[in-house]
Amino acid sequence: MPPAKRAIRKRATRSPRRPLLWLVPARWRSELSRVLIPQPRIAARVRQLARQIERDFAGRDLVIVSLLNGTVLFLADLIRHFSLPLRLDFIGVSSYAARTTSGELIFTKELRLDVRGRDVLLVDDILDTGRTLKRVLEKLRRLRPRRVKVCVLLEKRARRVEKVRADYVGFAIPDLFVVGYGLDFAERYRNLPFVGVLRPQRGGGRNRDVR
């Protein structure tokens, strides 16, 4: 068998349970321990989510509210699959401002659109403890929308402390510090096209104190 075909067969028979180190670009191998969700899986799952959301909101006056900043890549890929009319706005939240304690949340950007009587899809990058999502949902519901549904790219069920849930979940993941596809550590790694696991020596612990 030619060497090229042997290499292809070897890659195709890799166990899916093994860390996908071969997918980590050389530039990032000293910082990332593995690729948790490669780009093709993300793209396929985002298309599935978009189809489900379109069915559920067919014929409705949809407003998408996205949390800054980690949702940007996920949001862009999601909404380009929609054919239904929609409006888009953003809420900014932060738990890293000076003189804040762990668990305290600051709203850095308010909604511009009026969501009263409208269907709202809240989009976030990761649902972790649920503290951030709980506060944002409380704020949105005070604005009297018709209904609010939640869509997240990632969900860490093991870390949940608040009784909140997402209606649309891209991937349930273990309690790992993940970066890429919009998620960051110290504002780095957002541009990676996959979701990877940060090495502990690079600061990999948990993604958020509040989220």
Side-chain angles (χ1 to χ4, degrees):
M1 181 183 295
K5 288 188 177 180
R6 284 200 299 269
I8 292 171
R9 175 171 290 184
K10 184 177 180 181
R11 287 198 296 271
T13 56
R14 287 177 184 267
S15 169
R17 296 183 180 181
R18 294 177 59 188
L20 299 177
L21 293 173
W22 61 282
L23 287 177
V24 179
R27 163 67 179 82
W28 303 105
R29 285 175 189 163
S30 64
E31 301 177 51
L32 303 179
S33 64
R34 58 177 164 137
V35 169
L36 186 64
I37 312 173
Q39 190 276 333
R41 283 191 63 201
I42 295 174
R45 183 62 182 140
V46 170
R47 285 194 298 270
Q48 291 173 347
L49 289 173
R51 286 196 295 267
Q52 185 180 355
I53 292 166
E54 276 218 315
R55 288 194 301 267
D56 293 349
F57 286 93
R60 304 305 308 176
D61 186 9
L62 178 61
V63 178
I64 293 181
V65 174
S66 184
L67 270 64
L68 297 170
N69 290 326
T71 60
V72 173
L73 273 68
F74 176 42
L75 174 73
D77 286 345
L78 183 70
I79 65 174
R80 66 167 52 105
H81 291 296
F82 290 157
S83 58
L84 77 171
L86 59 85
R87 303 178 189 185
L88 177 63
D89 205 347
F90 297 89
I91 288 181
V93 293
S94 175
S95 59
Y96 301 103
R99 300 191 183 130
T100 64
T101 59
S102 178
E104 185 177 355
L105 192 69
I106 292 176
F107 286 88
T108 58
K109 183 189 180 304
E110 300 289 341
L111 279 182
R112 178 181 57 85
L113 296 178
D114 182 7
V115 298
R116 182 183 294 269
R118 291 174 174 154
D119 289 59
V120 172
L121 178 68
L122 178 62
V123 178
D124 200 3
D125 54 357
I126 185 168
L127 172 54
D128 195 336
T129 65
R131 294 190 181 106
T132 294
L133 190 58
K134 180 184 177 183
R135 288 282 306 279
V136 173
L137 284 170
E138 289 171 348
K139 188 178 187 70
L140 277 175
R141 285 167 179 154
R142 287 196 294 268
L143 300 176
R144 307 288 298 276
R146 177 180 176 270
R147 65 171 170 167
V148 179
K149 297 282 189 177
V150 176
C151 177
V152 297
L153 173 67
L154 304 175
E155 178 181 45
K156 292 184 183 179
R157 294 169 184 166
R159 293 258 295 154
R160 196 69 39 76
V161 298
E162 298 289 351
K163 292 182 179 180
V164 295
R165 60 179 294 272
D167 302 281
Y168 311 97
V169 177
F171 302 93
I173 65 170
D175 189 12
L176 300 169
F177 195 111
V178 290
V179 295
Y181 199 64
L183 289 94
D184 76 299
F185 174 66
E187 293 302 326
R188 298 184 66 225
Y189 309 107
R190 292 192 192 276
N191 59 309
L192 299 180
F194 54 82
V195 174
V197 179
L198 195 64
R199 292 187 181 277
Q201 64 268 29
R202 294 289 176 176
R206 288 176 174 145
N207 278 78
R208 307 287 187 268
D209 287 332
V210 174
R211 298 184 87 87

